PDB file of all heavy atoms in Angstrom:
ATOM      1  N   GLU A  20      -7.163  -3.251 -13.955  1.00  0.00           N
ATOM      2  CA  GLU A  20      -6.597  -1.927 -13.681  1.00  0.00           C
ATOM      3  C   GLU A  20      -7.362  -1.242 -12.550  1.00  0.00           C
ATOM      4  O   GLU A  20      -6.767  -0.537 -11.726  1.00  0.00           O
ATOM      5  CB  GLU A  20      -6.648  -1.062 -14.939  1.00  0.00           C
ATOM      6  CG  GLU A  20      -5.751  -1.540 -16.071  1.00  0.00           C
ATOM      7  CD  GLU A  20      -4.278  -1.316 -15.792  1.00  0.00           C
ATOM      8  OE1 GLU A  20      -3.933  -0.778 -14.725  1.00  0.00           O
ATOM      9  OE2 GLU A  20      -3.448  -1.685 -16.639  1.00  0.00           O
ATOM     10  N   THR A  21      -8.656  -1.441 -12.495  1.00  0.00           N
ATOM     11  CA  THR A  21      -9.462  -0.866 -11.427  1.00  0.00           C
ATOM     12  C   THR A  21      -9.077  -1.459 -10.079  1.00  0.00           C
ATOM     13  O   THR A  21      -8.890  -0.737  -9.091  1.00  0.00           O
ATOM     14  CB  THR A  21     -10.955  -1.105 -11.695  1.00  0.00           C
ATOM     15  OG1 THR A  21     -11.317  -0.482 -12.932  1.00  0.00           O
ATOM     16  CG2 THR A  21     -11.811  -0.546 -10.565  1.00  0.00           C
ATOM     17  N   ILE A  22      -8.954  -2.790 -10.038  1.00  0.00           N
ATOM     18  CA  ILE A  22      -8.568  -3.458  -8.792  1.00  0.00           C
ATOM     19  C   ILE A  22      -7.184  -2.994  -8.357  1.00  0.00           C
ATOM     20  O   ILE A  22      -6.944  -2.726  -7.171  1.00  0.00           O
ATOM     21  CB  ILE A  22      -8.605  -4.985  -8.979  1.00  0.00           C
ATOM     22  CG1 ILE A  22     -10.055  -5.441  -9.165  1.00  0.00           C
ATOM     23  CG2 ILE A  22      -7.971  -5.690  -7.784  1.00  0.00           C
ATOM     24  CD1 ILE A  22     -10.193  -6.890  -9.557  1.00  0.00           C
ATOM     25  N   LYS A  23      -6.253  -2.880  -9.297  1.00  0.00           N
ATOM     26  CA  LYS A  23      -4.898  -2.441  -8.965  1.00  0.00           C
ATOM     27  C   LYS A  23      -4.911  -1.052  -8.340  1.00  0.00           C
ATOM     28  O   LYS A  23      -4.212  -0.799  -7.347  1.00  0.00           O
ATOM     29  CB  LYS A  23      -4.028  -2.429 -10.224  1.00  0.00           C
ATOM     30  CG  LYS A  23      -2.589  -1.995  -9.965  1.00  0.00           C
ATOM     31  CD  LYS A  23      -1.752  -2.059 -11.225  1.00  0.00           C
ATOM     32  CE  LYS A  23      -2.086  -0.947 -12.197  1.00  0.00           C
ATOM     33  NZ  LYS A  23      -1.138  -0.893 -13.324  1.00  0.00           N
ATOM     34  N   SER A  24      -5.700  -0.167  -8.907  1.00  0.00           N
ATOM     35  CA  SER A  24      -5.777   1.195  -8.380  1.00  0.00           C
ATOM     36  C   SER A  24      -6.336   1.206  -6.965  1.00  0.00           C
ATOM     37  O   SER A  24      -5.806   1.880  -6.078  1.00  0.00           O
ATOM     38  CB  SER A  24      -6.646   2.061  -9.288  1.00  0.00           C
ATOM     39  OG  SER A  24      -6.127   2.114 -10.598  1.00  0.00           O
ATOM     40  N   ILE A  25      -7.412   0.444  -6.742  1.00  0.00           N
ATOM     41  CA  ILE A  25      -8.056   0.437  -5.433  1.00  0.00           C
ATOM     42  C   ILE A  25      -7.136  -0.149  -4.372  1.00  0.00           C
ATOM     43  O   ILE A  25      -7.059   0.370  -3.246  1.00  0.00           O
ATOM     44  CB  ILE A  25      -9.380  -0.339  -5.507  1.00  0.00           C
ATOM     45  CG1 ILE A  25     -10.375   0.438  -6.360  1.00  0.00           C
ATOM     46  CG2 ILE A  25      -9.950  -0.587  -4.119  1.00  0.00           C
ATOM     47  CD1 ILE A  25     -11.627  -0.322  -6.681  1.00  0.00           C
ATOM     48  N   VAL A  26      -6.423  -1.202  -4.709  1.00  0.00           N
ATOM     49  CA  VAL A  26      -5.485  -1.794  -3.761  1.00  0.00           C
ATOM     50  C   VAL A  26      -4.396  -0.779  -3.404  1.00  0.00           C
ATOM     51  O   VAL A  26      -3.867  -0.788  -2.293  1.00  0.00           O
ATOM     52  CB  VAL A  26      -4.863  -3.079  -4.341  1.00  0.00           C
ATOM     53  CG1 VAL A  26      -3.700  -3.560  -3.493  1.00  0.00           C
ATOM     54  CG2 VAL A  26      -5.923  -4.169  -4.435  1.00  0.00           C
ATOM     55  N   GLY A  27      -4.093   0.127  -4.319  1.00  0.00           N
ATOM     56  CA  GLY A  27      -3.094   1.145  -4.039  1.00  0.00           C
ATOM     57  C   GLY A  27      -3.579   2.206  -3.069  1.00  0.00           C
ATOM     58  O   GLY A  27      -2.850   2.593  -2.156  1.00  0.00           O
ATOM     59  N   PHE A  28      -4.831   2.698  -3.235  1.00  0.00           N
ATOM     60  CA  PHE A  28      -5.237   3.794  -2.355  1.00  0.00           C
ATOM     61  C   PHE A  28      -6.095   3.367  -1.173  1.00  0.00           C
ATOM     62  O   PHE A  28      -6.356   4.183  -0.278  1.00  0.00           O
ATOM     63  CB  PHE A  28      -5.920   4.936  -3.133  1.00  0.00           C
ATOM     64  CG  PHE A  28      -7.161   4.605  -3.902  1.00  0.00           C
ATOM     65  CD1 PHE A  28      -8.367   4.395  -3.266  1.00  0.00           C
ATOM     66  CD2 PHE A  28      -7.122   4.564  -5.291  1.00  0.00           C
ATOM     67  CE1 PHE A  28      -9.524   4.145  -3.990  1.00  0.00           C
ATOM     68  CE2 PHE A  28      -8.282   4.295  -6.023  1.00  0.00           C
ATOM     69  CZ  PHE A  28      -9.476   4.083  -5.371  1.00  0.00           C
ATOM     70  N   ALA A  29      -6.498   2.114  -1.106  1.00  0.00           N
ATOM     71  CA  ALA A  29      -7.247   1.646   0.066  1.00  0.00           C
ATOM     72  C   ALA A  29      -6.415   1.714   1.351  1.00  0.00           C
ATOM     73  O   ALA A  29      -6.912   2.185   2.382  1.00  0.00           O
ATOM     74  CB  ALA A  29      -7.768   0.233  -0.167  1.00  0.00           C
ATOM     75  N   PRO A  30      -5.133   1.266   1.356  1.00  0.00           N
ATOM     76  CA  PRO A  30      -4.335   1.391   2.582  1.00  0.00           C
ATOM     77  C   PRO A  30      -4.151   2.836   3.022  1.00  0.00           C
ATOM     78  O   PRO A  30      -4.076   3.119   4.221  1.00  0.00           O
ATOM     79  CB  PRO A  30      -2.989   0.758   2.189  1.00  0.00           C
ATOM     80  CG  PRO A  30      -3.321  -0.176   1.084  1.00  0.00           C
ATOM     81  CD  PRO A  30      -4.410   0.515   0.314  1.00  0.00           C
ATOM     82  N   ALA A  31      -4.079   3.757   2.058  1.00  0.00           N
ATOM     83  CA  ALA A  31      -3.967   5.172   2.417  1.00  0.00           C
ATOM     84  C   ALA A  31      -5.204   5.626   3.174  1.00  0.00           C
ATOM     85  O   ALA A  31      -5.120   6.390   4.140  1.00  0.00           O
ATOM     86  CB  ALA A  31      -3.762   6.012   1.156  1.00  0.00           C
ATOM     87  N   ALA A  32      -6.355   5.164   2.722  1.00  0.00           N
ATOM     88  CA  ALA A  32      -7.598   5.516   3.410  1.00  0.00           C
ATOM     89  C   ALA A  32      -7.592   4.979   4.836  1.00  0.00           C
ATOM     90  O   ALA A  32      -7.936   5.689   5.788  1.00  0.00           O
ATOM     91  CB  ALA A  32      -8.789   4.961   2.632  1.00  0.00           C
ATOM     92  N   LEU A  33      -7.177   3.730   5.008  1.00  0.00           N
ATOM     93  CA  LEU A  33      -7.135   3.136   6.346  1.00  0.00           C
ATOM     94  C   LEU A  33      -6.134   3.860   7.239  1.00  0.00           C
ATOM     95  O   LEU A  33      -6.389   4.081   8.430  1.00  0.00           O
ATOM     96  CB  LEU A  33      -6.788   1.655   6.242  1.00  0.00           C
ATOM     97  CG  LEU A  33      -7.809   0.767   5.517  1.00  0.00           C
ATOM     98  CD1 LEU A  33      -7.296  -0.658   5.407  1.00  0.00           C
ATOM     99  CD2 LEU A  33      -9.154   0.812   6.227  1.00  0.00           C
ATOM    100  N   GLY A  34      -4.984   4.238   6.670  1.00  0.00           N
ATOM    101  CA  GLY A  34      -3.970   4.956   7.446  1.00  0.00           C
ATOM    102  C   GLY A  34      -4.469   6.311   7.911  1.00  0.00           C
ATOM    103  O   GLY A  34      -4.232   6.713   9.059  1.00  0.00           O
ATOM    104  N   SER A  35      -5.154   7.026   7.039  1.00  0.00           N
ATOM    105  CA  SER A  35      -5.676   8.346   7.403  1.00  0.00           C
ATOM    106  C   SER A  35      -6.761   8.228   8.476  1.00  0.00           C
ATOM    107  O   SER A  35      -6.822   9.045   9.404  1.00  0.00           O
ATOM    108  CB  SER A  35      -6.236   9.048   6.167  1.00  0.00           C
ATOM    109  OG  SER A  35      -5.207   9.332   5.242  1.00  0.00           O
ATOM    110  N   ILE A  36      -7.605   7.224   8.351  1.00  0.00           N
ATOM    111  CA  ILE A  36      -8.652   7.019   9.359  1.00  0.00           C
ATOM    112  C   ILE A  36      -8.025   6.644  10.705  1.00  0.00           C
ATOM    113  O   ILE A  36      -8.491   7.086  11.764  1.00  0.00           O
ATOM    114  CB  ILE A  36      -9.641   5.942   8.886  1.00  0.00           C
ATOM    115  CG1 ILE A  36     -10.426   6.466   7.666  1.00  0.00           C
ATOM    116  CG2 ILE A  36     -10.596   5.542  10.004  1.00  0.00           C
ATOM    117  CD1 ILE A  36     -11.280   5.422   6.983  1.00  0.00           C
ATOM    118  N   ALA A  37      -6.952   5.834  10.674  1.00  0.00           N
ATOM    119  CA  ALA A  37      -6.242   5.490  11.907  1.00  0.00           C
ATOM    120  C   ALA A  37      -5.648   6.738  12.552  1.00  0.00           C
ATOM    121  O   ALA A  37      -5.649   6.881  13.779  1.00  0.00           O
ATOM    122  CB  ALA A  37      -5.138   4.471  11.611  1.00  0.00           C
ATOM    123  N   CYS A  38      -5.149   7.668  11.736  1.00  0.00           N
ATOM    124  CA  CYS A  38      -4.627   8.935  12.251  1.00  0.00           C
ATOM    125  C   CYS A  38      -5.723   9.736  12.936  1.00  0.00           C
ATOM    126  O   CYS A  38      -5.500  10.359  13.977  1.00  0.00           O
ATOM    127  CB  CYS A  38      -4.029   9.764  11.105  1.00  0.00           C
ATOM    128  SG  CYS A  38      -2.255   9.580  10.953  1.00  0.00           S
ATOM    129  N   PHE A  39      -6.888   9.729  12.328  1.00  0.00           N
ATOM    130  CA  PHE A  39      -8.016  10.453  12.915  1.00  0.00           C
ATOM    131  C   PHE A  39      -8.307   9.918  14.317  1.00  0.00           C
ATOM    132  O   PHE A  39      -8.536  10.691  15.253  1.00  0.00           O
ATOM    133  CB  PHE A  39      -9.249  10.301  12.026  1.00  0.00           C
ATOM    134  CG  PHE A  39     -10.425  11.119  12.464  1.00  0.00           C
ATOM    135  CD1 PHE A  39     -10.576  12.418  12.037  1.00  0.00           C
ATOM    136  CD2 PHE A  39     -11.385  10.570  13.321  1.00  0.00           C
ATOM    137  CE1 PHE A  39     -11.669  13.183  12.448  1.00  0.00           C
ATOM    138  CE2 PHE A  39     -12.477  11.325  13.731  1.00  0.00           C
ATOM    139  CZ  PHE A  39     -12.614  12.637  13.291  1.00  0.00           C
ATOM    140  N   ALA A  40      -8.283   8.596  14.467  1.00  0.00           N
ATOM    141  CA  ALA A  40      -8.536   7.994  15.776  1.00  0.00           C
ATOM    142  C   ALA A  40      -7.403   8.302  16.755  1.00  0.00           C
ATOM    143  O   ALA A  40      -7.653   8.622  17.925  1.00  0.00           O
ATOM    144  CB  ALA A  40      -8.708   6.484  15.618  1.00  0.00           C
ATOM    145  N   ALA A  41      -6.159   8.238  16.282  1.00  0.00           N
ATOM    146  CA  ALA A  41      -5.013   8.458  17.160  1.00  0.00           C
ATOM    147  C   ALA A  41      -4.947   9.896  17.666  1.00  0.00           C
ATOM    148  O   ALA A  41      -4.539  10.152  18.800  1.00  0.00           O
ATOM    149  CB  ALA A  41      -3.722   8.097  16.430  1.00  0.00           C
ATOM    150  N   PHE A  42      -5.337  10.840  16.827  1.00  0.00           N
ATOM    151  CA  PHE A  42      -5.250  12.263  17.177  1.00  0.00           C
ATOM    152  C   PHE A  42      -6.628  12.856  17.475  1.00  0.00           C
ATOM    153  O   PHE A  42      -6.816  14.064  17.353  1.00  0.00           O
ATOM    154  CB  PHE A  42      -4.597  13.044  16.031  1.00  0.00           C
ATOM    155  CG  PHE A  42      -3.116  12.810  15.906  1.00  0.00           C
ATOM    156  CD1 PHE A  42      -2.634  11.774  15.118  1.00  0.00           C
ATOM    157  CD2 PHE A  42      -2.213  13.619  16.573  1.00  0.00           C
ATOM    158  CE1 PHE A  42      -1.279  11.547  14.992  1.00  0.00           C
ATOM    159  CE2 PHE A  42      -0.850  13.398  16.454  1.00  0.00           C
ATOM    160  CZ  PHE A  42      -0.377  12.364  15.667  1.00  0.00           C
ATOM    161  N   LEU A  43      -7.574  12.022  17.881  1.00  0.00           N
ATOM    162  CA  LEU A  43      -8.925  12.511  18.117  1.00  0.00           C
ATOM    163  C   LEU A  43      -8.955  13.581  19.211  1.00  0.00           C
ATOM    164  O   LEU A  43      -9.632  14.610  19.069  1.00  0.00           O
ATOM    165  CB  LEU A  43      -9.841  11.344  18.498  1.00  0.00           C
ATOM    166  CG  LEU A  43     -11.334  11.677  18.618  1.00  0.00           C
ATOM    167  CD1 LEU A  43     -11.864  12.235  17.304  1.00  0.00           C
ATOM    168  CD2 LEU A  43     -12.113  10.425  19.037  1.00  0.00           C
TER     169      LEU A  43
END
């Protein structure tokens, strides 16, 4: 259950960080 949760919100973290770089 822990792994399932992390796999769910890890891409969100990467997407938000990519936004930070794109709109720096």
